Amino acid sequence: GAVVSQHPSWVICKSGTSVKIECRSLDFQATTMFWYRQFPKQSLMLMATSNEGSKATYEQGVEKDKFLINHASLTLSTLTVTSAHPEDSSFYICSAPSPGQGTDTQYFGPGTRLTVL
Amino acid sequence: QQQVKQSPQSLIVQKGGISIINCAYENTAFDYFPWYQQFPGKGPALLIAIRPDVSEKKEGRFTISFNKSAKQFSLHIMDSQPGDSATYFCAAIIKAAGNKLTFGGGTRVLVKP
């Protein structure tokens, strides 16, 4: 199946700093990618839809000025958590629709564990 | 509002037994129903999926049963193995609405040897 990678796999930062997370589709192009966050023992919550060449679409309740999304190419989307605080500590996961099979399924990255001290 | 309700929250099954996870939805616009398996610290991986015009789909030890009239679907894991211990998520998609996944709450499955 298609491969989606994320970098870094984990990051620890100080409160007030910004952190950038990359999501790459390794062997296919993705005009759309999705960003989720997952708290321990909870389900995935969609944060935003990243659209190549245009602005991201944010879900209700997600601060777009805090979670900056840039989809600069057909294989790369980035999520920047600005002025991070301990409550932003979470597992961030991206996904991209599968290529060549319509868009019925999505492939997920391995996730990025963010810890804000 | 939780659009996809999943039960049970956790499940313990003996090796060789059958794990059954149930999901229910309200929105009849959903038109694709995937199941994902997630191991700790990893992203979800697609396990099996079904369209609402199909009542059952089987792939190896995994079977989805779909009841459109009841708006319910379930995952059966036959001959459960310790390696199946993971969290399982059902999900639903409205393909015309950008294919955004709506996830159920998840079921933590533990298969005891």
Side-chain angles (χ1 to χ4, degrees):
Chain A
V3 178
V4 175
S5 71
Q6 282 184 240
H7 179 80
S9 56
W10 58 270
V11 58
I12 301 173
C13 69
K14 293 182 178 180
S15 185
T17 60
S18 294
V19 174
K20 179 184 286 188
I21 302 170
E22 295 184 346
C23 177
R24 293 182 184 273
S25 55
L26 294 187
D27 50 1
F28 66 103
Q29 294 180 335
T31 56
T32 301
M33 291 183 176
F34 300 92
W35 286 96
Y36 299 82
R37 66 188 299 182
Q38 184 180 33
F39 292 108
K41 298 184 180 180
Q42 293 189 23
S43 189
L44 287 80
M45 296 299 296
L46 179 65
M47 298 175 65
T49 302
S50 174
N51 304 298
E52 188 269 335
S54 64
K55 291 182 179 180
T57 306
Y58 291 82
E59 296 299 303
Q60 190 174 9
V62 177
E63 299 176 61
K64 59 183 179 182
D65 294 331
K66 182 170 185 61
F67 298 100
L68 301 179
I69 291 173
N70 183 28
H71 197 145
S73 77
L74 288 171
T75 59
L76 174 64
S77 174
T78 60
L79 168 68
T80 301
V81 183
T82 62
S83 186
H85 291 284
E87 58 266 29
D88 298 323
S89 298
S90 187
F91 194 49
Y92 292 87
I93 311 171
C94 68
S95 73
S98 62
Q101 300 174 29
T103 53
D104 289 352
T105 59
Q106 291 186 30
Y107 289 93
F108 283 82
T112 297
R113 174 75 58 192
L114 170 63
T115 301
V116 184
L117 301 177
Chain B
Q1 181 183 4
Q2 188 177 9
Q3 294 194 50
V4 180
K5 295 183 179 181
Q6 185 171 345
S7 63
Q9 288 186 318
S10 62
L11 179 62
I12 300 174
V13 63
Q14 292 294 130
K15 178 182 176 182
I18 302 173
S19 303
I20 302 174
I21 305 170
N22 300 299
C23 286
Y25 63 97
E26 289 297 323
N27 191 344
T28 56
F30 287 133
D31 52 8
Y32 196 67
F33 301 86
W35 285 86
Y36 287 87
Q37 179 188 56
Q38 185 181 31
F39 293 104
K42 304 295 184 182
L46 178 66
L47 198 58
I48 187 172
I50 197 168
R51 291 182 169 81
D53 56 345
V54 177
S55 61
E56 185 176 282
K57 183 175 182 180
K58 182 177 180 179
E59 289 185 2
R61 296 184 294 107
F62 300 93
T63 300
I64 301 178
S65 297
F66 193 88
N67 186 331
K68 187 174 181 178
S69 61
K71 292 185 286 187
Q72 296 176 348
F73 58 110
S74 61
L75 176 70
H76 290 61
I77 306 174
M78 313 299 287
D79 187 25
S80 296
Q81 300 296 311
D84 297 331
S85 297
T87 299
Y88 293 81
F89 294 97
C90 62
I93 292 174
I94 302 173
K95 288 189 281 184
N99 286 285
K100 291 191 293 185
L101 283 163
T102 299
F103 281 95
T107 298
R108 299 181 73 187
V109 175
L110 175 63
V111 182
K112 288 193 170 183

